[in-house]
Each structure stands twice: as structure tokens, then as C-alpha cells.
Amino acid sequence: PLADYLWKQLEGADDHLKATILEWFFERRDERAVNLVETALASSNPRLSAVGIYGAHRFTLRRLYPEADRRWQELLASGEMSDNAAGLGLLARQPETRYQPQLLALLQHANARVRYMALDALTHWPETEIPELSTVLENLSRAPDAKVRCCCVACYRLLPDAERARLLQTAVEDTHAGVRQAAAGQISHENGRADVYLRDWILQNNGSARAQEAALRVLLCMAAAERWSV
């Protein structure tokens, strides 16, 4: 069986492989790995330590929660990008609102990769209004990478109504088709009957030609999905 094979691979594995294997066991709550959680948590390797934090929560090892919390905060507040990446990767998988201040700080990190990982974690954030995000997301929405701008659109749901509407209207005029469609889709779903809203939006000649094209593409996708569901 795969589990037996992976268990044998743990011996002699480097930290990267060990983290990957342990994460597999922890996710499945395999009891043979429960005794390895504390060792992983105490590791100086950030990814292995993050897997230990995950294991502590996965197995509900309450006695390890204080150390897991301390270590997670340490990873997120560290000046090392490898630490930040490990902490953010875990935050994307297991959102914890108590780390919101650290997440907001990392959204403004000097390194683009760290900023993107923080933004990705934010896309998984529980539904809540975070007014202080407005300026941060507006700045990130100017990034040259369309993938970053798409993530921004997914995070606009966390903004107050007026700010969300303003930034979505800007995004629907984006130069990248994927960003325009993501924005048009979100605008439509926030306005009752999505298909009716988009149809009226197009007929009233709102937005530029490419914004209307994005809205039309979303509308056509809805029509196709409706046909398939019949």
C-alpha cells in the first residue's frame, strides 16, 4: 500500500520530502504519524514546522496549540521570505482570522512572491468586511501580473459596498480578458438575477467595448451551463 511505502521513505528523507510525506499522513489523520507532529513542529525548517502546526490541529493535539500558535506567528512575522511563505501557505489552507494583522502586513511586503502568497491566502478568507483593505487591494490591482489582478477581484468581496463596486468597475475595464470576466461575473452575482442584470448592463451600453465583451462572455457561459443542467 502507498501508506506503507511512504512510511519507509521517511527514514533518510530530507526536510522537503519529509514535510511532503508527513503532510500526506497528517491530512489522513493516520495514527502512526501522530507521534511525529511535535518533532515536525520544533523543526528549524519552516516548511516542516508549518506541517507540524497543521498536524497539531489535524489531530486536535490541544497541548501543542500554544507552541503551534507561537510558531505560526513567528513564521508570519519573520524577516525571512521562506518563513513567510511557509506561514502563508498554511494560512491559505487553514484560514485563521486571528492572524489578520500579519496577513495585511504581508500584503505590502517588498517581495512580489510574498505579496502574491498573502493575496492567495486572502482569497480563502472567511466572509467579513475589512475596510482597511481598500487601499492595499487598489495598489495590488495595478500589478503587471494578471494573476495578481485576478486574485484582487476575488478579494473585493471583503470590502465595503461602495469600495467594492468602484474597484469592480475598474477591473471590468482591465486589459486582460480573465480579469474582466472575473469582475463581470462578480458584478452580476451581486445584483440579483445575474443573467438579467448582465443583459440589461450590456443593452444600456455601460462600460467600454471590451468590458461589454467580458460581460457577454459571462452571460454566454451562464446560458451554456443552464442548457447542460436541463
Side-chain angles (χ1 to χ4, degrees):
L2 177 59
D4 291 342
Y5 171 76
L6 290 175
W7 188 255
K8 290 176 184 175
Q9 297 306 306
L10 273 174
E11 188 175 351
D14 62 22
D15 284 343
H16 182 79
L17 180 58
K18 191 177 292 184
T20 301
I21 295 173
L22 285 179
E23 187 174 22
W24 190 90
F25 279 110
F26 294 168
E27 183 174 359
R28 288 156 182 78
R29 295 193 177 95
D30 191 310
E31 287 298 326
R32 81 183 92 183
V34 71
N35 290 329
L36 300 178
V37 172
E38 194 164 2
T39 304
L41 178 59
S43 173
S44 60
N45 179 281
R47 183 159 180 260
L48 192 52
S49 187
V51 169
I53 298 167
Y54 175 67
H57 288 278
R58 196 70 180 155
F59 286 109
T60 322
L61 301 175
R62 299 188 189 281
R63 66 181 180 82
L64 295 180
Y65 284 2
E67 177 58 20
D69 183 59
R70 185 199 68 78
R71 185 66 175 122
W72 202 347
Q73 287 194 56
E74 190 175 76
L75 291 173
L76 293 170
S78 171
E80 296 293 326
M81 287 188 292
S82 57
D83 289 350
N84 299 155
L88 287 168
L90 183 58
L91 204 56
R93 183 171 195 170
Q94 186 177 309
E96 291 285 352
T97 55
R98 65 181 180 273
Y99 299 125
Q100 187 168 296
Q102 291 91 332
L103 179 59
L104 293 179
L106 289 172
L107 282 167
Q108 301 170 77
H109 196 279
N111 180 269
R113 177 171 175 259
V114 173
R115 290 198 303 272
Y116 177 70
M117 289 193 72
L119 194 57
D120 180 58
L122 192 64
T123 64
H124 302 281
W125 217 242
E127 201 71 39
T128 183
E129 192 173 286
I130 311 175
E132 59 267 39
L133 263 180
S134 296
T135 303
V136 177
L137 288 179
E138 186 165 12
N139 289 336
L140 288 171
S141 71
R142 301 189 187 104
D145 189 343
K147 187 169 61 174
V148 171
R149 302 199 301 276
C150 271
C151 273
C152 285
V153 171
C155 295
Y156 290 161
R157 63 187 174 82
L158 303 171
L159 299 178
D161 292 347
E163 284 299 293
R164 182 172 66 252
R166 181 178 68 82
L167 290 174
L168 281 172
Q169 287 294 341
T170 300
V172 86
E173 302 280 355
D174 195 274
T175 55
H176 191 277
V179 179
R180 294 197 299 272
Q181 284 182 241
Q186 192 163 326
I187 289 171
S188 68
H189 286 295
E190 289 186 3
N191 288 275
R193 277 290 304 279
D195 54 346
V196 174
Y197 176 81
L198 279 183
R199 184 198 64 200
D200 291 346
W201 193 85
I202 294 168
L203 290 174
Q204 289 164 14
N205 200 32
N206 286 314
S208 66
R210 66 185 177 196
Q212 289 184 24
E213 180 190 1
L216 183 58
R217 285 182 181 277
V218 172
L219 191 58
L220 291 173
C221 286
M222 287 178 183
E226 190 175 327
R227 282 200 303 273
W228 278 105
S229 66
V230 175

